[in-house]
Amino acid sequence: MAVNVYSTNVTTENPSRHEMLTWVNGCLQSEFSKIEELCTGAAYCQFMDMLFPNSMPLKRIKFRTNLEHEYIQNFKLLQASFKKMSVDKIIPIDKLIKGRFQDNLEFLQWFKKFFDANYKGRDYDASAAREGAPMVFASVGGGSSRRVHFSSGRPAGTSSGPAADQPSEGPAHGDGEDTAVLLASIVELRKERDFYFSKLRDIEVL
């Protein structure tokens, strides 16, 4: 059974975001570049496997993803593992999967305290445990499910600097391909229209 941890932001000092990210990547041999990317839930799932062997079905974890439904799947696995090990913490899944910095930082700070209270010092090869699968926030591209865009925490309509007022330089990534597909469809429709027009003219002649 796990040792439960209860703490608030005002009770103890917390490590900086950079220290926290270095800790995660060092323990898990992962490649997260910012706190928001922990919204995938994969890191916490593997930490549970490190702390409590056989508490987490590693083969079901989506280690490389940017799809919200896969984040939810990972957090559901984490939730089940918490229940199995009698962890009282309620996981704010709806908040975490949105990729907002503050929500993910606060959960990571709690998890670090939970980890420290439960880690027994056993050797653990994180990369080998997940059979060499990379643990990283997947770059955008591929897949049709909803992707998460990180929130900067600024109110809508505000800018982050002069660059925000500049027009976009060229079409967004993928627009060229969409345009080509659209033009091909138009050409096919025109051919089909001309074919039926010719048939109608033949009928009128008869």
Side-chain angles (χ1 to χ4, degrees), residues 73-103:
Q73 178 182 324
N74 285 343
F75 277 115
K76 291 292 185 183
L77 292 173
L78 182 64
Q79 206 167 42
S81 181
F82 273 18
K83 184 176 181 180
K84 183 177 182 179
M85 302 310 301
S86 299
V87 180
D88 294 338
K89 179 73 172 179
I90 296 173
I91 305 170
I93 298 176
D94 290 343
K95 290 183 177 181
L96 296 175
I97 62 174
K98 301 303 179 187
R100 287 189 288 262
F101 168 75
Q102 192 61 36
D103 294 327

Side-chain angles (χ1 to χ4, degrees), residues 163-182:
D165 297 325
Q166 299 300 320
S168 174
E169 297 181 5
H173 178 71
D175 283 358
E177 184 179 341
D178 293 341
T179 303
V181 172
L182 203 57

